[in-house]
Amino acid sequence: MGDSVRVVTVGRRRLRVAVRPGTDPDRPPLLLCNGIGASLDLLDPFVDALDPAIEVVRFDPPGVGGSPVPTLPYPFPALAGLVGRLLDTLGYDRFDVLGISWGGGLAQQLALQNPRRCRQVVLVATATGWMMVPARPKVLAHMATPRRYWDAGYARSIAGRIYGGSLRDRPDLVQKLLLDYERKLSARGYLYQLATGAGWTSTPFLPLIGQPTLILAGADDPIIPLVNARMMARLMPRSRLHVYDDGHLGLLTMKDELAAVVGEFLGVTPGTSTRRTRRWRRQRRPAG
């Protein structure tokens, strides 16, 4: 079954959304929150690798991909509220969430604001905001601009230095992994995403996130040094850490292996399409 892609109106916002139906009607969907500047299309290979039992919901944040740029920036708590209303509109009253990099911050905020509604959390190549152990200044300088999404030559020239892992030896992979999937990105939309994370940190509230949490971290991630994942694992009471042997884009470079790890964590038995899970109520409402 392929994704159903459409624009959904939530209040005054229009968000581009993709839903891949799952074969297990008794499990909540997995909500994917992408990295800064990246549209929902970028995670197509990972979604394809996930067990078909899992229903998957993706969206473009305001100002990214097919979602219009908002008038003003939005903080993570407000964005988490918007995403919660999006799930209401789509008819889901419970969900699991996976956030990668910038989207990992949103996933942490969603878990905090939805302690009963959010069932399980997966955090990939992410950290705690401004209280994290930062990347080196040269890496941060490259991340301050969306140029890597627009300029293929520039993206190849910096890929190994900022993404690490497989891309150190194969910087040309950035074309396949990022640029071939990327939709339009406005400079203002990217700036707003940077503003979303400015001054935000999850460090004080991580001990309050009681959901079972899987933390996936690359052994060679220049953007998010591994020490951040170890710190988060110590702070979160029901977390476990899985370190994979690659870089910041491990969810794509190791999609099959990490999709299996995520599936096992979410309760999908390898080699099967369904597994009995705790029932959840799902009330379909018309998408606005």
Side-chain angles (χ1 to χ4, degrees):
M1 290 178 288
D3 284 16
S4 170
V5 182
R6 61 192 185 276
V7 174
V8 176
T9 300
V10 183
R12 297 183 179 181
R13 302 268 193 214
R14 290 185 296 123
L15 299 175
R16 178 172 171 258
V17 177
V19 177
R20 186 196 76 170
T23 61
D24 186 348
D26 291 338
R27 74 167 45 251
L30 177 63
L31 173 71
L32 299 189
C33 304
N34 218 331
I36 189 169
S39 66
L40 62 86
D41 311 85
L42 184 141
L43 289 180
D44 280 354
F46 176 73
V47 173
D48 290 342
L50 281 171
D51 192 289
I54 303 171
E55 187 148 326
V56 181
V57 178
R58 293 177 284 165
F59 67 98
D60 286 339
V64 178
S67 296
V69 182
T71 304
L72 297 171
Y74 43 88
F76 269 135
L79 182 57
L82 175 66
V83 173
R85 294 192 297 276
L86 169 65
L87 292 170
D88 289 338
T89 302
L90 295 174
Y92 303 110
D93 65 351
R94 296 200 71 200
F95 64 95
D96 298 327
V97 64
L98 182 154
I100 176 172
S101 196
W102 181 92
L106 175 57
Q108 293 169 65
Q109 191 70 45
L110 280 163
L112 176 71
Q113 292 178 205
N114 299 273
R116 295 184 179 181
R117 189 179 186 188
C118 177
R119 188 185 70 145
Q120 296 182 98
V121 183
V122 182
L123 302 175
V124 186
T126 194
T128 59
W130 71 267
M131 292 184 71
M132 68 178 282
V133 175
R136 293 182 177 182
K138 287 185 178 180
V139 173
L140 293 174
H142 290 308
M143 297 298 295
T145 169
R147 182 182 171 188
R148 66 191 183 281
Y149 287 117
W150 299 332
D151 185 335
Y154 176 73
R156 287 191 294 271
S157 71
I158 67 169
R161 293 198 299 275
I162 68 171
Y163 297 123
S166 304
L167 276 75
R168 290 195 186 277
D169 296 325
R170 290 287 311 282
D172 56 295
L173 287 176
V174 74
Q175 181 72 45
K176 177 182 178 182
L177 296 176
L178 294 183
L179 304 183
D180 287 352
Y181 285 93
E182 190 49 48
R183 292 173 61 90
K184 65 180 181 179
L185 169 68
S186 74
R188 185 155 62 101
Y190 191 88
L191 179 63
Y192 282 1
Q193 284 191 288
L194 288 175
T196 296
W200 176 89
T201 182
S202 61
T203 302
F205 68 71
L206 282 184
L208 303 178
I209 295 180
Q211 296 95 330
T213 302
L214 172 65
I215 301 173
L216 298 176
D220 177 24
D221 185 345
I223 297 174
I224 308 291
L226 179 57
V227 63
N228 289 285
R230 299 195 189 282
M231 291 168 54
M232 294 176 70
R234 285 196 293 267
L235 288 171
M236 303 182 78
R238 300 182 66 190
S239 67
R240 66 179 174 92
L241 173 62
H242 177 94
V243 179
Y244 56 85
D245 189 20
D246 213 308
H248 193 70
L249 301 182
L251 212 61
L252 298 176
T253 56
M254 301 181 63
K255 58 183 177 61
D256 294 320
E257 177 180 327
L258 294 186
V261 173
V262 171
E264 183 275 332
F265 172 75
L266 296 178
V268 178
T269 303
T272 66
S273 60
T274 61
R275 179 179 177 177
R276 186 178 300 277
T277 61
R278 183 169 58 183
R279 288 194 62 85
W280 59 289
R281 291 186 303 111
R282 177 180 178 183
Q283 300 174 346
R284 283 291 183 189
R285 306 179 184 91

